[in-house]
mmCIF file of all heavy atoms in Angstrom:
data_model
loop_
_atom_site.group_PDB
_atom_site.id
_atom_site.type_symbol
_atom_site.label_atom_id
_atom_site.label_comp_id
_atom_site.label_asym_id
_atom_site.label_seq_id
_atom_site.Cartn_x
_atom_site.Cartn_y
_atom_site.Cartn_z
ATOM 1 N N THR C 151 42.267 -2.189 -108.574
ATOM 2 C CA THR C 151 42.983 -1.239 -107.721
ATOM 3 C C THR C 151 43.934 -1.974 -106.785
ATOM 4 O O THR C 151 45.096 -1.566 -106.624
ATOM 5 C CB THR C 151 41.979 -0.394 -106.913
ATOM 6 O OG1 THR C 151 41.127 0.296 -107.819
ATOM 7 C CG2 THR C 151 42.692 0.604 -106.024
ATOM 8 N N MET C 152 43.465 -3.060 -106.180
ATOM 9 C CA MET C 152 44.322 -3.824 -105.271
ATOM 10 C C MET C 152 45.493 -4.445 -106.026
ATOM 11 O O MET C 152 46.605 -4.514 -105.506
ATOM 12 C CB MET C 152 43.507 -4.913 -104.563
ATOM 13 C CG MET C 152 42.423 -4.368 -103.662
ATOM 14 S SD MET C 152 42.975 -3.093 -102.502
ATOM 15 C CE MET C 152 44.015 -4.024 -101.428
ATOM 16 N N TYR C 153 45.260 -4.869 -107.272
ATOM 17 C CA TYR C 153 46.323 -5.452 -108.084
ATOM 18 C C TYR C 153 47.435 -4.436 -108.336
ATOM 19 O O TYR C 153 48.607 -4.788 -108.362
ATOM 20 C CB TYR C 153 45.747 -5.948 -109.413
ATOM 21 C CG TYR C 153 46.714 -6.761 -110.225
ATOM 22 C CD1 TYR C 153 46.862 -8.120 -109.989
ATOM 23 C CD2 TYR C 153 47.490 -6.184 -111.223
ATOM 24 C CE1 TYR C 153 47.754 -8.875 -110.724
ATOM 25 C CE2 TYR C 153 48.386 -6.929 -111.961
ATOM 26 C CZ TYR C 153 48.505 -8.280 -111.713
ATOM 27 O OH TYR C 153 49.396 -9.028 -112.430
ATOM 28 N N GLU C 154 47.044 -3.195 -108.506
ATOM 29 C CA GLU C 154 48.023 -2.141 -108.764
ATOM 30 C C GLU C 154 48.788 -1.736 -107.507
ATOM 31 O O GLU C 154 49.866 -1.143 -107.604
ATOM 32 C CB GLU C 154 47.329 -0.921 -109.360
ATOM 33 C CG GLU C 154 46.764 -1.177 -110.744
ATOM 34 C CD GLU C 154 45.858 -0.065 -111.249
ATOM 35 O OE1 GLU C 154 45.680 0.945 -110.532
ATOM 36 O OE2 GLU C 154 45.325 -0.209 -112.356
ATOM 37 N N VAL C 155 48.256 -2.079 -106.334
ATOM 38 C CA VAL C 155 48.857 -1.653 -105.071
ATOM 39 C C VAL C 155 49.593 -2.788 -104.355
ATOM 40 O O VAL C 155 50.662 -2.583 -103.788
ATOM 41 C CB VAL C 155 47.756 -1.074 -104.140
ATOM 42 C CG1 VAL C 155 48.315 -0.744 -102.776
ATOM 43 C CG2 VAL C 155 47.120 0.140 -104.770
ATOM 44 N N MET C 156 49.046 -3.979 -104.399
ATOM 45 C CA MET C 156 49.603 -5.099 -103.638
ATOM 46 C C MET C 156 50.674 -5.861 -104.425
ATOM 47 O O MET C 156 50.519 -6.106 -105.618
ATOM 48 C CB MET C 156 48.485 -6.086 -103.250
ATOM 49 C CG MET C 156 47.474 -5.520 -102.288
ATOM 50 S SD MET C 156 46.146 -6.693 -101.914
ATOM 51 C CE MET C 156 47.018 -7.871 -100.889
ATOM 52 N N PHE C 157 51.716 -6.244 -103.754
ATOM 53 C CA PHE C 157 52.765 -7.112 -104.298
ATOM 54 C C PHE C 157 53.336 -6.580 -105.621
ATOM 55 O O PHE C 157 53.554 -7.332 -106.570
ATOM 56 C CB PHE C 157 52.233 -8.540 -104.487
ATOM 57 C CG PHE C 157 51.614 -9.139 -103.256
ATOM 58 C CD1 PHE C 157 50.309 -9.610 -103.277
ATOM 59 C CD2 PHE C 157 52.319 -9.225 -102.065
ATOM 60 C CE1 PHE C 157 49.725 -10.167 -102.156
ATOM 61 C CE2 PHE C 157 51.741 -9.779 -100.926
ATOM 62 C CZ PHE C 157 50.444 -10.249 -100.976
ATOM 63 N N THR C 158 53.616 -5.313 -105.657
ATOM 64 C CA THR C 158 54.095 -4.689 -106.899
ATOM 65 C C THR C 158 55.491 -5.166 -107.313
ATOM 66 O O THR C 158 55.861 -5.044 -108.481
ATOM 67 C CB THR C 158 54.111 -3.158 -106.767
ATOM 68 O OG1 THR C 158 54.919 -2.792 -105.647
ATOM 69 C CG2 THR C 158 52.703 -2.617 -106.597
ATOM 70 N N ASP C 159 56.253 -5.718 -106.381
ATOM 71 C CA ASP C 159 57.603 -6.187 -106.696
ATOM 72 C C ASP C 159 57.624 -7.581 -107.305
ATOM 73 O O ASP C 159 58.694 -8.104 -107.611
ATOM 74 C CB ASP C 159 58.472 -6.195 -105.439
ATOM 75 C CG ASP C 159 58.721 -4.791 -104.909
ATOM 76 O OD1 ASP C 159 58.566 -3.836 -105.683
ATOM 77 O OD2 ASP C 159 59.062 -4.660 -103.728
ATOM 78 N N TYR C 160 56.459 -8.194 -107.460
ATOM 79 C CA TYR C 160 56.377 -9.557 -107.976
ATOM 80 C C TYR C 160 55.830 -9.569 -109.398
ATOM 81 O O TYR C 160 55.019 -8.717 -109.769
ATOM 82 C CB TYR C 160 55.483 -10.413 -107.072
ATOM 83 C CG TYR C 160 56.078 -10.627 -105.707
ATOM 84 C CD1 TYR C 160 55.797 -9.761 -104.663
ATOM 85 C CD2 TYR C 160 56.935 -11.687 -105.467
ATOM 86 C CE1 TYR C 160 56.352 -9.944 -103.409
ATOM 87 C CE2 TYR C 160 57.502 -11.883 -104.214
ATOM 88 C CZ TYR C 160 57.201 -11.009 -103.193
ATOM 89 O OH TYR C 160 57.766 -11.198 -101.960
ATOM 90 N N PRO C 161 56.239 -10.568 -110.200
ATOM 91 C CA PRO C 161 55.725 -10.665 -111.571
ATOM 92 C C PRO C 161 54.252 -11.115 -111.588
ATOM 93 O O PRO C 161 53.704 -11.502 -110.557
ATOM 94 C CB PRO C 161 56.629 -11.727 -112.211
ATOM 95 C CG PRO C 161 57.104 -12.552 -111.072
ATOM 96 C CD PRO C 161 57.201 -11.613 -109.890
ATOM 97 N N ASP C 162 53.639 -11.078 -112.758
ATOM 98 C CA ASP C 162 52.227 -11.449 -112.895
ATOM 99 C C ASP C 162 51.984 -12.931 -112.614
ATOM 100 O O ASP C 162 50.910 -13.310 -112.167
ATOM 101 C CB ASP C 162 51.710 -11.107 -114.291
ATOM 102 C CG ASP C 162 51.648 -9.610 -114.521
ATOM 103 O OD1 ASP C 162 51.592 -8.847 -113.534
ATOM 104 O OD2 ASP C 162 51.655 -9.202 -115.693
ATOM 105 N N ILE C 163 52.971 -13.760 -112.895
ATOM 106 C CA ILE C 163 52.898 -15.200 -112.614
ATOM 107 C C ILE C 163 54.022 -15.520 -111.637
ATOM 108 O O ILE C 163 55.183 -15.212 -111.897
ATOM 109 C CB ILE C 163 53.073 -16.041 -113.895
ATOM 110 C CG1 ILE C 163 52.064 -15.648 -114.963
ATOM 111 C CG2 ILE C 163 52.999 -17.529 -113.568
ATOM 112 C CD1 ILE C 163 50.625 -15.959 -114.623
ATOM 113 N N VAL C 164 53.663 -16.121 -110.494
ATOM 114 C CA VAL C 164 54.657 -16.391 -109.453
ATOM 115 C C VAL C 164 54.808 -17.887 -109.221
ATOM 116 O O VAL C 164 53.970 -18.688 -109.627
ATOM 117 C CB VAL C 164 54.293 -15.671 -108.128
ATOM 118 C CG1 VAL C 164 54.298 -14.170 -108.302
ATOM 119 C CG2 VAL C 164 52.948 -16.143 -107.605
ATOM 120 N N ASN C 165 55.890 -18.255 -108.541
ATOM 121 C CA ASN C 165 56.109 -19.649 -108.172
ATOM 122 C C ASN C 165 55.816 -19.831 -106.675
ATOM 123 O O ASN C 165 55.457 -18.869 -105.987
ATOM 124 C CB ASN C 165 57.535 -20.089 -108.536
ATOM 125 C CG ASN C 165 58.592 -19.256 -107.845
ATOM 126 O OD1 ASN C 165 58.404 -18.794 -106.722
ATOM 127 N ND2 ASN C 165 59.719 -19.059 -108.517
ATOM 128 N N VAL C 166 55.975 -21.037 -106.199
ATOM 129 C CA VAL C 166 55.637 -21.337 -104.806
ATOM 130 C C VAL C 166 56.507 -20.544 -103.831
ATOM 131 O O VAL C 166 56.006 -20.023 -102.832
ATOM 132 C CB VAL C 166 55.743 -22.855 -104.527
ATOM 133 C CG1 VAL C 166 55.515 -23.158 -103.058
ATOM 134 C CG2 VAL C 166 54.742 -23.616 -105.379
ATOM 135 N N ALA C 167 57.776 -20.416 -104.118
ATOM 136 C CA ALA C 167 58.664 -19.652 -103.231
ATOM 137 C C ALA C 167 58.209 -18.196 -103.134
ATOM 138 O O ALA C 167 58.262 -17.590 -102.056
ATOM 139 C CB ALA C 167 60.105 -19.729 -103.729
ATOM 140 N N GLN C 168 57.753 -17.649 -104.231
ATOM 141 C CA GLN C 168 57.274 -16.271 -104.209
ATOM 142 C C GLN C 168 55.956 -16.155 -103.439
ATOM 143 O O GLN C 168 55.741 -15.177 -102.718
ATOM 144 C CB GLN C 168 57.128 -15.744 -105.638
ATOM 145 C CG GLN C 168 58.468 -15.539 -106.308
ATOM 146 C CD GLN C 168 58.355 -15.317 -107.797
ATOM 147 O OE1 GLN C 168 57.610 -15.993 -108.496
ATOM 148 N NE2 GLN C 168 59.132 -14.355 -108.301
ATOM 149 N N VAL C 169 55.081 -17.155 -103.564
ATOM 150 C CA VAL C 169 53.845 -17.164 -102.770
ATOM 151 C C VAL C 169 54.193 -17.178 -101.291
ATOM 152 O O VAL C 169 53.612 -16.433 -100.496
ATOM 153 C CB VAL C 169 52.947 -18.369 -103.134
ATOM 154 C CG1 VAL C 169 51.777 -18.491 -102.164
ATOM 155 C CG2 VAL C 169 52.440 -18.263 -104.561
ATOM 156 N N GLN C 170 55.172 -17.990 -100.919
ATOM 157 C CA GLN C 170 55.633 -18.028 -99.526
ATOM 158 C C GLN C 170 56.054 -16.645 -99.056
ATOM 159 O O GLN C 170 55.671 -16.198 -97.976
ATOM 160 C CB GLN C 170 56.859 -18.936 -99.399
ATOM 161 C CG GLN C 170 56.626 -20.391 -99.430
ATOM 162 C CD GLN C 170 57.964 -21.095 -99.312
ATOM 163 O OE1 GLN C 170 58.464 -21.625 -100.282
ATOM 164 N NE2 GLN C 170 58.542 -21.075 -98.122
ATOM 165 N N SER C 171 56.844 -15.991 -99.869
ATOM 166 C CA SER C 171 57.359 -14.674 -99.515
ATOM 167 C C SER C 171 56.238 -13.638 -99.448
ATOM 168 O O SER C 171 56.205 -12.812 -98.537
ATOM 169 C CB SER C 171 58.406 -14.254 -100.547
ATOM 170 O OG SER C 171 58.847 -12.952 -100.312
ATOM 171 N N MET C 172 55.328 -13.688 -100.382
ATOM 172 C CA MET C 172 54.229 -12.722 -100.433
ATOM 173 C C MET C 172 53.355 -12.819 -99.195
ATOM 174 O O MET C 172 52.961 -11.803 -98.618
ATOM 175 C CB MET C 172 53.373 -12.964 -101.687
ATOM 176 C CG MET C 172 54.085 -12.665 -102.984
ATOM 177 S SD MET C 172 53.266 -13.388 -104.414
ATOM 178 C CE MET C 172 52.051 -12.116 -104.756
ATOM 179 N N LEU C 173 53.034 -14.054 -98.794
ATOM 180 C CA LEU C 173 52.097 -14.269 -97.688
ATOM 181 C C LEU C 173 52.790 -14.536 -96.358
ATOM 182 O O LEU C 173 52.127 -14.696 -95.333
ATOM 183 C CB LEU C 173 51.158 -15.428 -98.025
ATOM 184 C CG LEU C 173 50.284 -15.230 -99.267
ATOM 185 C CD1 LEU C 173 49.451 -16.479 -99.524
ATOM 186 C CD2 LEU C 173 49.398 -14.006 -99.122
ATOM 187 N N LYS C 174 54.116 -14.622 -96.375
ATOM 188 C CA LYS C 174 54.893 -14.904 -95.153
ATOM 189 C C LYS C 174 54.427 -16.217 -94.510
ATOM 190 O O LYS C 174 54.102 -16.280 -93.327
ATOM 191 C CB LYS C 174 54.776 -13.764 -94.135
ATOM 192 C CG LYS C 174 55.074 -12.402 -94.695
ATOM 193 C CD LYS C 174 56.536 -12.241 -94.996
ATOM 194 C CE LYS C 174 56.842 -10.800 -95.331
ATOM 195 N NZ LYS C 174 57.235 -10.557 -96.685
ATOM 196 N N ILE C 175 54.399 -17.282 -95.345
ATOM 197 C CA ILE C 175 53.953 -18.592 -94.880
ATOM 198 C C ILE C 175 55.033 -19.626 -95.184
ATOM 199 O O ILE C 175 55.970 -19.357 -95.938
ATOM 200 C CB ILE C 175 52.615 -19.011 -95.535
ATOM 201 C CG1 ILE C 175 52.733 -19.045 -97.062
ATOM 202 C CG2 ILE C 175 51.495 -18.083 -95.090
ATOM 203 C CD1 ILE C 175 51.506 -19.566 -97.782
ATOM 204 N N SER C 176 54.863 -20.805 -94.622
ATOM 205 C CA SER C 176 55.825 -21.875 -94.852
ATOM 206 C C SER C 176 55.629 -22.499 -96.233
ATOM 207 O O SER C 176 54.576 -22.348 -96.865
ATOM 208 C CB SER C 176 55.660 -22.970 -93.795
ATOM 209 O OG SER C 176 54.439 -23.674 -94.003
ATOM 210 N N ARG C 177 56.637 -23.197 -96.674
ATOM 211 C CA ARG C 177 56.570 -23.908 -97.956
ATOM 212 C C ARG C 177 55.453 -24.933 -97.934
ATOM 213 O O ARG C 177 54.686 -25.054 -98.890
ATOM 214 C CB ARG C 177 57.921 -24.567 -98.220
ATOM 215 C CG ARG C 177 57.985 -25.335 -99.480
ATOM 216 C CD ARG C 177 59.375 -25.893 -99.682
ATOM 217 N NE ARG C 177 59.317 -26.929 -100.689
ATOM 218 C CZ ARG C 177 60.256 -27.796 -100.906
ATOM 219 N NH1 ARG C 177 61.359 -27.751 -100.190
ATOM 220 N NH2 ARG C 177 60.132 -28.705 -101.835
ATOM 221 N N HIS C 178 55.352 -25.651 -96.835
ATOM 222 C CA HIS C 178 54.312 -26.672 -96.691
ATOM 223 C C HIS C 178 52.914 -26.061 -96.829
ATOM 224 O O HIS C 178 52.064 -26.590 -97.552
ATOM 225 C CB HIS C 178 54.461 -27.387 -95.344
ATOM 226 C CG HIS C 178 53.404 -28.402 -95.090
ATOM 227 N ND1 HIS C 178 53.401 -29.638 -95.675
ATOM 228 C CD2 HIS C 178 52.288 -28.341 -94.321
ATOM 229 C CE1 HIS C 178 52.320 -30.309 -95.281
ATOM 230 N NE2 HIS C 178 51.638 -29.535 -94.457
ATOM 231 N N LEU C 179 52.670 -24.954 -96.147
ATOM 232 C CA LEU C 179 51.365 -24.306 -96.212
ATOM 233 C C LEU C 179 51.093 -23.766 -97.616
ATOM 234 O O LEU C 179 49.960 -23.862 -98.111
ATOM 235 C CB LEU C 179 51.258 -23.186 -95.184
ATOM 236 C CG LEU C 179 49.910 -22.454 -95.131
ATOM 237 C CD1 LEU C 179 48.752 -23.422 -94.929
ATOM 238 C CD2 LEU C 179 49.927 -21.398 -94.048
ATOM 239 N N ALA C 180 52.099 -23.226 -98.277
ATOM 240 C CA ALA C 180 51.917 -22.726 -99.644
ATOM 241 C C ALA C 180 51.465 -23.857 -100.560
ATOM 242 O O ALA C 180 50.492 -23.711 -101.313
ATOM 243 C CB ALA C 180 53.210 -22.102 -100.151
ATOM 244 N N TYR C 181 52.142 -25.000 -100.496
ATOM 245 C CA TYR C 181 51.744 -26.152 -101.314
ATOM 246 C C TYR C 181 50.342 -26.640 -100.946
ATOM 247 O O TYR C 181 49.560 -27.026 -101.818
ATOM 248 C CB TYR C 181 52.747 -27.299 -101.169
ATOM 249 C CG TYR C 181 53.929 -27.163 -102.091
ATOM 250 C CD1 TYR C 181 55.183 -26.830 -101.592
ATOM 251 C CD2 TYR C 181 53.802 -27.360 -103.463
ATOM 252 C CE1 TYR C 181 56.283 -26.708 -102.437
ATOM 253 C CE2 TYR C 181 54.885 -27.241 -104.313
ATOM 254 C CZ TYR C 181 56.124 -26.920 -103.798
ATOM 255 O OH TYR C 181 57.196 -26.793 -104.640
ATOM 256 N N GLU C 182 50.019 -26.619 -99.668
ATOM 257 C CA GLU C 182 48.698 -27.053 -99.226
ATOM 258 C C GLU C 182 47.597 -26.129 -99.778
ATOM 259 O O GLU C 182 46.575 -26.600 -100.278
ATOM 260 C CB GLU C 182 48.649 -27.082 -97.699
ATOM 261 C CG GLU C 182 47.413 -27.724 -97.134
ATOM 262 C CD GLU C 182 47.499 -27.853 -95.627
ATOM 263 O OE1 GLU C 182 48.528 -28.355 -95.124
ATOM 264 O OE2 GLU C 182 46.534 -27.452 -94.963
ATOM 265 N N LEU C 183 47.800 -24.822 -99.683
ATOM 266 C CA LEU C 183 46.813 -23.858 -100.182
ATOM 267 C C LEU C 183 46.622 -23.983 -101.689
ATOM 268 O O LEU C 183 45.500 -23.899 -102.193
ATOM 269 C CB LEU C 183 47.225 -22.431 -99.821
ATOM 270 C CG LEU C 183 47.185 -22.072 -98.339
ATOM 271 C CD1 LEU C 183 47.795 -20.699 -98.105
ATOM 272 C CD2 LEU C 183 45.759 -22.124 -97.812
ATOM 273 N N ILE C 184 47.702 -24.207 -102.399
ATOM 274 C CA ILE C 184 47.619 -24.361 -103.855
ATOM 275 C C ILE C 184 46.973 -25.705 -104.208
ATOM 276 O O ILE C 184 46.061 -25.766 -105.033
ATOM 277 C CB ILE C 184 49.015 -24.222 -104.492
ATOM 278 C CG1 ILE C 184 49.547 -22.808 -104.275
ATOM 279 C CG2 ILE C 184 48.967 -24.574 -105.982
ATOM 280 C CD1 ILE C 184 51.035 -22.661 -104.496
ATOM 281 N N GLY C 185 47.426 -26.759 -103.561
ATOM 282 C CA GLY C 185 46.894 -28.098 -103.831
ATOM 283 C C GLY C 185 45.421 -28.239 -103.507
ATOM 284 O O GLY C 185 44.683 -28.944 -104.207
ATOM 285 N N ASP C 186 44.977 -27.576 -102.448
ATOM 286 C CA ASP C 186 43.570 -27.643 -102.042
ATOM 287 C C ASP C 186 42.686 -26.668 -102.809
ATOM 288 O O ASP C 186 41.481 -26.623 -102.600
ATOM 289 C CB ASP C 186 43.426 -27.394 -100.543
ATOM 290 C CG ASP C 186 43.995 -28.528 -99.705
ATOM 291 O OD1 ASP C 186 44.269 -29.612 -100.267
ATOM 292 O OD2 ASP C 186 44.172 -28.333 -98.481
ATOM 293 N N GLY C 187 43.292 -25.832 -103.646
ATOM 294 C CA GLY C 187 42.519 -24.919 -104.480
ATOM 295 C C GLY C 187 42.172 -23.586 -103.846
ATOM 296 O O GLY C 187 41.441 -22.795 -104.439
ATOM 297 N N TYR C 188 42.686 -23.319 -102.661
ATOM 298 C CA TYR C 188 42.442 -22.009 -102.047
ATOM 299 C C TYR C 188 43.136 -20.904 -102.842
ATOM 300 O O TYR C 188 42.637 -19.787 -102.924
ATOM 301 C CB TYR C 188 42.915 -21.983 -100.597
ATOM 302 C CG TYR C 188 42.085 -22.835 -99.682
ATOM 303 C CD1 TYR C 188 42.548 -24.063 -99.242
ATOM 304 C CD2 TYR C 188 40.823 -22.421 -99.277
ATOM 305 C CE1 TYR C 188 41.775 -24.861 -98.413
ATOM 306 C CE2 TYR C 188 40.042 -23.202 -98.449
ATOM 307 C CZ TYR C 188 40.527 -24.425 -98.016
ATOM 308 O OH TYR C 188 39.755 -25.209 -97.205
ATOM 309 N N ILE C 189 44.293 -21.237 -103.390
ATOM 310 C CA ILE C 189 44.999 -20.339 -104.296
ATOM 311 C C ILE C 189 45.144 -21.108 -105.610
ATOM 312 O O ILE C 189 46.018 -21.969 -105.737
ATOM 313 C CB ILE C 189 46.385 -19.940 -103.747
ATOM 314 C CG1 ILE C 189 46.273 -19.265 -102.384
ATOM 315 C CG2 ILE C 189 47.095 -19.021 -104.737
ATOM 316 C CD1 ILE C 189 47.599 -18.942 -101.732
ATOM 317 N N PRO C 190 44.278 -20.818 -106.577
ATOM 318 C CA PRO C 190 44.345 -21.557 -107.846
ATOM 319 C C PRO C 190 45.646 -21.300 -108.595
ATOM 320 O O PRO C 190 46.121 -20.162 -108.681
ATOM 321 C CB PRO C 190 43.152 -21.011 -108.634
ATOM 322 C CG PRO C 190 42.237 -20.427 -107.605
ATOM 323 C CD PRO C 190 43.130 -19.923 -106.517
ATOM 324 N N GLY C 191 46.215 -22.376 -109.087
ATOM 325 C CA GLY C 191 47.425 -22.299 -109.882
ATOM 326 C C GLY C 191 47.452 -23.463 -110.844
ATOM 327 O O GLY C 191 46.519 -24.269 -110.886
ATOM 328 N N MET C 192 48.499 -23.567 -111.636
ATOM 329 C CA MET C 192 48.612 -24.672 -112.567
ATOM 330 C C MET C 192 49.986 -25.303 -112.437
ATOM 331 O O MET C 192 50.964 -24.618 -112.140
ATOM 332 C CB MET C 192 48.354 -24.210 -113.991
ATOM 333 C CG MET C 192 49.315 -23.148 -114.481
ATOM 334 S SD MET C 192 48.708 -22.234 -115.876
ATOM 335 C CE MET C 192 47.816 -20.938 -115.048
ATOM 336 N N LYS C 193 50.005 -26.602 -112.625
ATOM 337 C CA LYS C 193 51.277 -27.303 -112.554
ATOM 338 C C LYS C 193 51.796 -27.468 -113.970
ATOM 339 O O LYS C 193 51.119 -28.016 -114.840
ATOM 340 C CB LYS C 193 51.100 -28.658 -111.878
ATOM 341 C CG LYS C 193 52.397 -29.295 -111.491
ATOM 342 C CD LYS C 193 52.201 -30.423 -110.522
ATOM 343 C CE LYS C 193 53.548 -30.874 -110.011
ATOM 344 N NZ LYS C 193 53.417 -31.918 -109.015
ATOM 345 N N ILE C 194 52.982 -26.967 -114.197
ATOM 346 C CA ILE C 194 53.635 -27.079 -115.490
ATOM 347 C C ILE C 194 54.905 -27.879 -115.266
ATOM 348 O O ILE C 194 55.818 -27.420 -114.581
ATOM 349 C CB ILE C 194 53.950 -25.689 -116.087
ATOM 350 C CG1 ILE C 194 52.650 -24.910 -116.259
ATOM 351 C CG2 ILE C 194 54.711 -25.827 -117.399
ATOM 352 C CD1 ILE C 194 52.825 -23.491 -116.704
ATOM 353 N N GLY C 195 54.920 -29.079 -115.797
ATOM 354 C CA GLY C 195 56.023 -29.995 -115.514
ATOM 355 C C GLY C 195 55.947 -30.390 -114.051
ATOM 356 O O GLY C 195 54.931 -30.900 -113.601
#
């Protein structure tokens, strides 16, 4: 239900800039959250 309601303007797979925009956080914090595993993601290239 939350998936259908939250962040509807974003695609199913997002990049760091989009995470920043979604959460209204800095680039540094977005990379930190992803790197520390708080927001799981994968590095491609």
